[in-house]
């Protein structure tokens, strides 16, 4: 059982559980079946470290061998429905409020390479009343989508990415409550797992009523209060579903209680033989860190996996390879050792899921206690011809006898441009091999005073180290790869301390380069060093700066990090310095842009000028883009339509490019006309025709030739988006996605997400000024909404959007209406929002709330353009509908800073969902004036053509003329109001009449 009933605690029950259990569950599980890629299943429960351990803990779990990580545990407040992870409040009022970095860290658990394919959250524990709280909340508020329990567990799923909720009910044992709760969880998208230690009739009832469509695993506690449980007996309670038993690692004072990894393997093997268990779990990760006498977390995972299936495959992951498109590759292999830990002969086979992988054998037999090797390699002929990008694949090993399969994952980066360059001139051996011994380490110290060096991965006593073959793709960019020198050989140029302050690396094959990149780092201080390129024609480059910061704590220009370090001496100690230390640093030189395109013979390096006596700098590798390798195509080309005959283009830089060619066409696919050849990565196309769709591509160019064209993009100048962007919004979400969960901000990349039931890609706002097809999102009034960051400030702001609805909102206040663009935070004085109030627009601010309601109704099943503005100085609030000021009023003045995000299609607190469609939501950090709003409406309901108003004299009269279908507007004041002159072109004006101003309206 999860907890210690024999202990006496004089605390509130909830705090008691949090103090006692404060950990998480991580589970490893084995799934039976033919060629199932999940392989053996192992789960580990854990608590505090999973929340506070950061990326280091996540990386350790990814490499551990566990397939399931159990976050233990969630407590539920009976009054508010708040969700508390041990003693940390993480969900309240339907929103995640915990550590902002935790969701991102958890998301990395399933990122390849990893053994983890599942995350679960355990609810409740021994001695607490969480299921009573759940029962109370369901009785009081139900389980519909607007209930607090539903909204909080929905927010929990969005934050943690959890696949399942694990029931650890050890108090209430009410079948009806557990079933009702489980059905609600299933409607959110969770699976349910059970974790009993006693009371089999209760668990059997829950399992039979929820069914296998919801309950997909049963974890049996076989320690503490469940120490006498027999998995074979419990297997009979769940209609063929086999339980996964759990054991407790070494724990307690002196680490004398619990089991070691070897004892776990023996017991799990017995249960596999007697109960055919499909996997197992370990309790508790927190104790494994505190009591390592029984083994590491990875040792316990290995024990379960080995016991459940005798076919043991190591290592836990394959290689991460890199190639240059249609050019280069490094021979890359991973040798896998297949061992038979069982007493009988087994037959195995292998399935290769990718054309860019090769295998040395596809199957075979292993007698008891024997091993074989299978080598997986890179098929260079295929890999180098893949479109530049990132790929992943799996090799699946299957045991015919048990039916258990295990997958090993591989990754491939085909976007590499800068490739390793072979050089000579290294003067130190700083990279120890994984066969190093104290007597023969194969390396000398890099950090000389403290006797530390680098080490190859695979050294006994640690899981860290530099890549096995010394080859890796840089973290600093997407297009550089480095090759370290051979381990145990002279493999670095070391400068400083007892070494020279400068040194030279010579190219084995001198050649021209479009770009060069240097890999370096320093110990005991560092900074920026200098280098000079020596050309084959006898000339030299100016001095160039390269990054040589200290190998700890600098986080910029990092090419590789978190690989540990080796302490030399009478014994060898491989240290784990965390996920962010130590570091190797990269500097890339665009030689084409610098005009340094002569053939390079050598590079002379100098130590940072401020280096102290104990400081050392190591240059570990050089990479380059040879001049005869074609340049890559610019990526992430984006086109922003301008308000008047312009389109702004931006793209990502291409390494080795001296400039770019911007090309345009009026037909998709070309032919294209070159507009300009800018040096930078942006260009504004001018002289275009408003209302015409243009197609653009960009290519990179250098002294050695032109690269391929980018992916084509299009834009229509003079369109709604063009006028909207010309007013410099802080954020703009077109809501035009046709799939996925992300809604994109096209201004600053402040993307949001869709939640609940949202219908994407529907036909949107009508109007010739919109690109075709123009899309919108529809909310059905039940659960759907869109969350976006609040990128506007705390003073003046404006919001503009398009709305279509036939629904009726609540009355009389915006905070009781149906949310459209909502920033309400319950009880706060500085919130705001726009909602459907009755059939009108309600715009509210502050607490007590001031609500301004439109005169015009908008729920007539037609599209309406809505704009609202707020002036912090005067408190002025305005609502515009269809380009015209509808109503105005006054609200609170001064800063209004809440909230941190906005919700579209729903209120943030009451979850009053909109039944209607939204499109083109934009927010501004200023007060839009009436002309700004009118232009937006006009831009969507009619095209803005290029029109020139000309005037000429005909006798004593002035003749005004223009081309096209525009109407002449006239006013006696330049600020208006403007009236329409019904006459078409030309119009004759008498100079005797009062002074007038004229302009053309095109519709």
């Amino acid at each position: 059982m999860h907890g210690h009933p024999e202990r006496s605690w004089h605390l509130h029950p909830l705090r008691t559980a949090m103090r006692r259990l404060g950990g998480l569950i991580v589970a490893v599980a084995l799934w039976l079946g033919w060629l199932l890629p999940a392989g053996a299943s192992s789960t580990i429960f854990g608590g505090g470290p999973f929340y506070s351990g950061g990326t280091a803990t996540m990386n350790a779990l990814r490499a551990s061998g566990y397939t399931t990580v159990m976050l233990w545990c969630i407590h539920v407040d009976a009054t508010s429905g708040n969700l508390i992870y041990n003693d940390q409040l993480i969900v309240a009022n339907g929103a995640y409020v915990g550590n902002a970095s935790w969701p991102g860290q958890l998301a990395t658990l399933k990122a390849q390479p990893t053994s983890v394919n599942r995350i679960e959250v355990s609810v409740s524990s021994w001695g607490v009343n969480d299921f009573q709280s759940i029962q109370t909340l369901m009785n009081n508020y139900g389980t519909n989508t607007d209930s607090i329990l539903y909204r909080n567990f929905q927010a929990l799923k969005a934050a943690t990415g959890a696949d399942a909720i694990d029931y650890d009910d050890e108090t209430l044992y009410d079948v009806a409550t557990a079933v009702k709760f489980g059905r609600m969880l299933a409607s959110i998208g969770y699976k349910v797992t059970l974790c009993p230690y006693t009371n089999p009739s209760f668990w059997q009832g829950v399992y039979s009523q929820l069914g296998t469509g919801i309950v997909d695993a049963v974890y049996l506690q076989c320690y503490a209060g469940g120490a006498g449980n027999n998995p074979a007996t419990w297997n009979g309670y769940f209609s063929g579903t086999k339980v996964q038993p759990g054991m407790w690692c070494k724990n307690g004072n002196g680490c004398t209680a619990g089991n070691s990894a070897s004892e776990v393997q023996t017991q799990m093997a017995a249960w596999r033989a007697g109960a055919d268990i499909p996997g197992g779990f370990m309790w508790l990760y927190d104790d494994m860190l505190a009591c390592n006498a029984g083994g590491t977390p990875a040792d316990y995972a290995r024990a379960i996996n080995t016991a459940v299936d005798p076919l043991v495959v190591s290592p836990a992951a394959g290689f991460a390879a890199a190639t240059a498109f249609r050019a280069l590759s490094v021979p890359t292999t991973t040798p896998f050792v297949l061992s038979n830990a069982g007493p009988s002969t087994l037959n195995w086979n292998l399935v290769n899921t990718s054309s860019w992988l090769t295998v040395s054998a596809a199957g075979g037999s292993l007698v008891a206690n024997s091993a074989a090797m299978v080598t997986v390699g890179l098929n260079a002929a295929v890999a180098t011809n893949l479109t530049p990008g990132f790929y992943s694949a799996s090799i699946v090993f299957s045991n015919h006898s048990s039916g258990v399969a295990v997958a090993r994952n591989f990754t491939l980066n085909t976007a590499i441009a800068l490739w390793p360059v072979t050089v000579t001139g290294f003067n130190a051996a700083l990279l120890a091999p994984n066969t190093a011994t104290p007597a023969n380490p194969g390396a000398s110290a890099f950090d000389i005073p403290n006797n530390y060096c680098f080490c190859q991965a695979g050294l006994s006593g640690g899981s860290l180290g530099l890549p096995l073959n010394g080859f890796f793709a840089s973290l600093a960019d997407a297009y550089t790869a480095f090759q370290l020198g051979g381990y145990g050989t002279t493999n670095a140029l070391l400068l400083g301390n007892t070494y020279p302050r400068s040194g030279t690396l010579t190219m084995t094959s001198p050649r021209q380069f479009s770009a060069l990149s240097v890999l370096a780092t320093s110990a005991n201080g560092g900074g920026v060093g200098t280098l000079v390129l020596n050309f084959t024609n006898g000339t030299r480059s100016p001095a160039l700066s390269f990054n040589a910061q200290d190998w700890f704590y600098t986080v910029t220009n990092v090419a590789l990090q978190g690989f540990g370090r080796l302490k030399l001496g009478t014994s060898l100690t491989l240290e784990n310095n965390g996920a962010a230390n130590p570091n190797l640093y990269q500097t890339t030189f665009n030689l084409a842009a610098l005009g340094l395109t002569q053939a390079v013979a050598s590079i002379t390096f100098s130590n940072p000028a401020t280096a102290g006596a104990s400081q050392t700098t190591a240059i570990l590798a050089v990479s380059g883009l040879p001049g005869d390798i074609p340049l890559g195509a610019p990526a992430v080309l984006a086109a922003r339509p301008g308000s008047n005959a312009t389109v702004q283009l931006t793209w990502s830089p291409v390494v080795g490019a001296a400039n770019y060619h911007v090309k345009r066409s009026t037909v998709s696919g070309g032919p294209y006309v070159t507009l300009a050849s800018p040096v930078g990565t942006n260009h504004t196309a001018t002289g275009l025709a408003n209302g015409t769709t243009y197609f653009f591509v960009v290519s990179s160019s250098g002294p050695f030739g032109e690269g391929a064209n980018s992916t084509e993009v299009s834009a229509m100048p003079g369109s709604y988006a063009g006028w909207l962007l010309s007013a410099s919004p802080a954020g703009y979400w077109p809501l035009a996605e046709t799939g996925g969960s992300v809604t994109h901000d096209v201004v600053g990349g402040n993307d949001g997400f869709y939640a609940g039931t949202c219908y994407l890609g529907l036909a949107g706002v009508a109007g010739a000024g919109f690109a075709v097809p123009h899309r919108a999102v529809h909310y059905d009034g039940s659960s759907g909404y869109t969350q976006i960051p609040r990128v506007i400030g705390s003073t003046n702001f404006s919001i503009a959007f398009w709305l279509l609805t036939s629904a009726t909102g609540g009355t009389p206040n915006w905070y009781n209406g149906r949310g459209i663009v909502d920033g309400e935070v319950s009880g706060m004085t500085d919130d705001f929002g726009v909602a459907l109030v009755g059939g009108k627009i309600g715009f509210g601010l502050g607490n007590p709330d001031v609500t301004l309601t439109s005169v015009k109704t908008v729920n007539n099943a037609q599209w309406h353009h809505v704009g609202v503005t707020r002036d912090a100085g005067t408190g002025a609030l305005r609502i515009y509908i269809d380009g015209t000021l509808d109503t105005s009023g006054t609200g609170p003045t001064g800063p209004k800073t809440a909230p941190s995000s906005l919700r579209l299609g729903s209120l943030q607190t009451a979850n009053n969902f909109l039944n209607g469609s939204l499109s083109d939501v934009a927010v501004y950090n200023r007060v839009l004036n009436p002309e700004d709003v009118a232009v937006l409406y006009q831009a969507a309901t009619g095209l803005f053509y290029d029109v020139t108003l000309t005037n000429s004299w005909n006798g004593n009269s002035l003749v005004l003329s223009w081309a096209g279908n525009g109407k002449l507007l006239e006013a006696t004041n330049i600020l208006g109001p403007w009236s329409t002159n019904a006459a078409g072109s030309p119009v004759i004006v008498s100079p005797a009449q009062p002074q007038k101003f004229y302009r053309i309206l095109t519709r």
Side-chain angles (χ1 to χ4, degrees):
M1 57 195 289
H2 295 160
H4 307 283
E6 70 279 8
R7 299 181 183 177
S8 175
W9 298 90
H10 303 285
L11 297 169
H12 184 279
L14 181 60
R15 290 292 297 177
T16 300
M18 295 188 290
R19 292 283 181 87
R20 281 182 291 126
L21 303 180
L24 335 157
I25 302 174
V26 179
V28 180
L30 290 171
W31 303 102
L32 295 181
W34 190 247
L35 292 178
L36 292 179
S41 173
S42 50
T43 300
I44 185 164
F45 283 66
F50 290 0
Y51 188 75
S52 60
T55 55
T57 296
M58 301 305 155
N59 289 339
L61 292 171
R62 292 169 61 216
S64 65
Y66 291 102
T67 60
T68 300
V69 171
M70 183 76 73
L71 308 179
W72 184 83
C73 65
I74 286 291
H75 300 292
V76 183
D77 185 89
T79 302
S80 65
N82 290 349
L83 303 185
I84 301 153
Y85 182 64
N86 297 309
D87 57 356
Q88 300 290 329
L89 175 64
I90 63 170
V91 175
N93 290 323
Y96 176 75
V97 296
N99 184 336
S101 63
W102 196 42
Q105 292 167 0
L106 288 174
T108 66
L109 283 175
K110 296 181 183 179
Q112 298 298 335
T114 182
S115 61
V116 178
N117 57 35
R118 184 176 171 106
I119 298 172
E120 296 190 31
V121 177
S122 181
V123 171
S124 195
S125 59
W126 181 85
V128 294
N129 297 318
D130 293 312
F131 275 87
Q132 286 94 329
S133 298
I134 291 168
Q135 182 185 63
T136 298
L137 290 165
M138 291 192 301
N139 289 341
N140 290 342
Y141 305 109
T143 57
N144 291 332
T145 57
D146 60 350
S147 68
I148 188 59
L149 203 61
Y150 183 100
R151 292 190 291 116
N152 281 352
F153 274 89
Q154 184 180 55
L156 180 70
K157 184 174 180 62
T160 63
D163 301 281
I165 295 295
D166 179 60
Y167 282 11
D168 188 15
D169 183 359
E170 303 186 14
T171 306
L172 181 63
Y173 293 125
D174 181 70
V175 173
T177 296
V179 170
K180 186 177 181 180
F181 182 46
R183 289 171 179 163
M184 184 202 78
L185 293 172
S187 70
I188 297 173
Y190 289 106
K191 292 294 186 179
V192 170
T193 60
L194 313 180
C195 194
Y197 82 94
T198 190
N199 202 346
S201 61
F202 163 75
W203 296 103
Q204 189 175 30
V206 175
Y207 176 89
S208 62
Q209 291 192 42
L210 286 179
T212 55
I214 296 177
V215 178
D216 66 352
V218 179
Y219 305 113
L220 178 65
Q221 299 179 48
C222 295
Y223 51 87
N229 282 330
N230 184 345
T233 301
W234 281 79
N235 280 344
Y237 300 143
F238 302 112
S239 304
T241 294
K242 303 295 179 64
V243 301
Q244 299 177 42
M247 299 179 67
W248 198 340
C249 67
K250 284 290 185 181
N251 65 90
N253 294 331
C255 301
T256 55
N259 298 104
S260 67
S262 60
E263 292 168 338
V264 167
Q265 181 171 334
T266 299
Q267 180 61 76
M268 290 284 179
W271 281 331
R272 172 66 175 173
D276 196 26
I277 61 171
F281 74 86
M282 287 307 306
W283 174 271
L284 176 72
Y285 185 82
D286 311 50
D287 287 340
M288 292 178 189
L289 300 184
C291 295
N292 55 21
T296 67
D299 291 334
Y300 281 102
R302 190 178 305 110
I304 297 175
N305 292 328
T306 301
V308 172
D309 187 70
L311 178 62
V312 180
V313 181
S314 61
F319 55 71
T323 65
F325 182 53
R326 295 182 180 171
L328 302 167
S329 68
V330 169
T332 305
T333 61
T334 297
F336 288 99
V337 177
L338 280 62
S339 304
N340 181 0
S344 305
T345 298
L346 65 81
N347 296 317
W348 64 272
N349 79 331
L350 174 154
V351 173
N352 178 6
T353 65
S354 175
S355 61
W356 51 267
L357 294 175
T358 62
V359 296
S360 62
S365 297
L366 285 173
V367 300
N369 299 312
S370 67
M373 181 175 289
V374 174
T375 300
V376 180
L378 180 70
N379 187 336
V382 173
T384 55
N385 283 285
L386 294 172
T387 301
F390 295 87
Y391 299 83
S392 61
S394 299
I395 295 292
V396 182
F397 299 91
S398 178
N399 181 348
H400 285 205
S401 303
S402 65
V404 174
V406 61
R408 293 295 181 260
N409 300 309
F410 301 78
T411 60
L412 173 65
N413 177 357
T414 64
I416 296 301
L418 279 86
W419 205 253
V421 175
T422 305
V423 296
T424 61
F426 290 145
N427 64 353
L430 306 181
L431 315 179
N434 56 20
T435 56
T437 63
N440 184 23
S444 58
F446 164 56
D447 176 355
I448 294 174
N450 299 302
N451 216 20
Y452 285 106
C453 69
F454 304 94
C455 181
Q456 181 186 25
L459 182 70
S460 177
S463 59
L464 300 177
L466 296 169
L468 280 171
N469 61 359
F471 181 81
F472 65 93
S474 172
L475 299 175
D477 56 45
Y479 46 75
T480 302
F482 289 107
Q483 176 67 59
L484 300 172
Y487 295 106
T489 67
T490 303
N491 43 38
L493 174 62
L494 190 60
L495 307 176
N497 201 306
T498 58
Y499 289 79
R501 293 295 303 272
S502 65
T504 299
L505 295 180
T506 301
M507 303 286 179
T508 302
S509 301
R511 64 194 306 178
Q512 294 173 297
F513 293 94
S514 297
L516 278 176
S517 194
V518 171
L519 182 70
T521 192
S522 297
N524 297 305
V528 176
T530 60
L531 63 82
V532 173
L533 305 178
N534 306 304
F535 302 114
T536 57
N537 62 6
T539 62
R540 305 177 72 203
S541 75
L544 304 173
S545 298
F546 72 95
N547 295 302
Q549 289 80 16
D550 189 275
W551 58 340
F552 278 70
Y553 305 119
T554 300
V555 296
T556 56
N557 306 304
V558 172
L560 189 67
Q561 68 180 168
F563 44 81
R565 61 181 180 176
L566 183 65
K567 176 79 169 180
L568 300 172
T570 55
S571 62
L572 298 180
T573 304
L574 184 58
E575 291 186 0
N576 182 348
N577 310 110
N581 288 302
N583 300 302
L584 306 180
Y585 305 103
Q586 175 180 330
T587 311
T588 298
F589 305 95
N590 191 336
L591 301 186
L594 294 172
L596 303 174
T597 56
Q598 305 96 313
V600 179
S602 62
I603 309 174
T604 299
F605 296 86
S606 296
N607 224 13
T610 57
S614 63
Q615 189 267 347
T616 50
T617 293
I619 293 87
L620 297 167
V622 177
S623 291
L625 175 61
D628 55 356
I629 299 297
L631 295 175
V636 200
L637 176 62
R640 283 177 47 166
S643 60
N644 191 18
T646 63
V647 170
Q648 184 183 42
L649 300 161
T650 59
W651 56 91
S652 298
V654 174
V655 63
N659 64 301
Y660 302 88
H661 297 313
V662 181
K663 307 170 187 180
R664 183 195 77 199
S665 176
T666 56
V667 179
S668 179
Y672 302 102
V673 174
T674 300
L675 299 179
S677 298
V679 173
T681 56
N682 62 83
H683 174 73
T684 299
T686 60
L688 307 176
N690 286 326
T692 298
T693 299
Y694 292 91
F695 302 88
F696 300 91
V697 294
V698 177
S699 65
S700 54
S701 181
F704 307 108
E706 181 180 357
N709 286 338
S710 68
T711 301
E712 182 184 80
V713 297
S714 63
M716 179 193 293
S719 63
Y720 180 82
W723 286 99
L724 185 151
L725 292 167
S726 71
S728 300
Y732 171 35
W733 297 265
L735 304 178
E737 289 80 16
T738 58
S741 61
V742 177
T743 182
H744 299 281
D745 167 29
V746 302
V747 173
N750 295 294
D751 298 341
F753 62 87
Y754 296 106
T757 303
C758 299
Y759 299 91
L760 307 184
L762 300 184
V765 184
F770 284 107
V772 179
H774 191 72
R775 303 290 182 182
V777 60
H778 178 73
Y779 309 105
D780 66 0
S782 65
S783 67
Y785 63 88
T786 307
Q787 199 86 359
I788 60 173
R790 182 187 67 88
V791 297
I792 50 178
S794 60
T795 55
N796 297 345
F797 66 81
S798 302
I799 304 172
F801 56 88
W802 284 85
L803 169 71
L804 181 148
T805 184
S806 58
T808 299
T811 57
N813 302 310
W814 68 271
Y815 53 88
N816 288 324
R818 298 289 173 176
I820 301 175
V821 181
D822 182 64
E824 197 223 346
V825 179
S826 181
M828 298 193 70
T829 61
D830 46 6
D831 52 7
F832 58 90
V834 185
L836 184 66
V837 177
K840 301 178 180 182
I841 294 295
F843 177 32
L845 188 78
N847 187 5
D849 299 272
V850 174
T851 301
L852 183 66
T853 305
S854 68
V855 174
K856 187 175 182 177
T857 58
V858 294
N859 62 340
N860 58 354
Q862 296 181 12
W863 282 103
H864 293 282
H865 184 262
V866 178
V868 299
T869 66
R870 188 258 175 163
D871 187 317
T874 64
L877 305 177
R878 292 183 175 89
I879 298 176
Y880 297 84
I881 296 179
D882 295 337
T884 302
L885 179 63
D886 179 271
T887 190
S888 61
T890 303
T893 60
K896 299 296 175 186
T897 57
S900 60
S901 61
L902 300 179
R903 183 167 290 188
L904 314 180
S906 167
L907 296 186
Q908 300 237 63
T909 52
N911 261 7
N912 288 3
F913 296 101
L914 174 70
N915 188 341
S917 301
L918 280 180
S919 177
D920 296 272
V921 174
V923 295
Y924 298 82
N925 273 316
R926 66 183 182 88
V927 178
L928 294 179
N929 60 46
E931 181 76 3
D932 293 328
V933 180
V935 165
L936 286 179
Y937 177 68
Q938 293 161 6
T941 55
L943 288 177
F944 284 74
Y945 294 98
D946 294 310
V947 176
T948 300
L949 178 62
T950 62
N951 63 84
S952 61
W953 287 99
N954 183 2
N956 293 323
S957 298
L958 186 65
V959 179
L960 302 179
S961 60
W962 63 94
N965 64 347
K967 296 293 185 182
L968 183 67
L969 301 182
E970 59 183 44
T972 57
N973 188 304
I974 195 170
L975 298 177
W978 295 87
S979 61
T980 302
N981 188 318
S985 177
V987 170
I988 298 175
V989 177
S990 171
Q993 61 182 282
Q995 173 180 274
K996 284 191 177 181
F997 299 87
Y998 298 90
R999 65 183 184 183
I1000 300 298
L1001 170 65
T1002 59
R1003 301 293 292 267

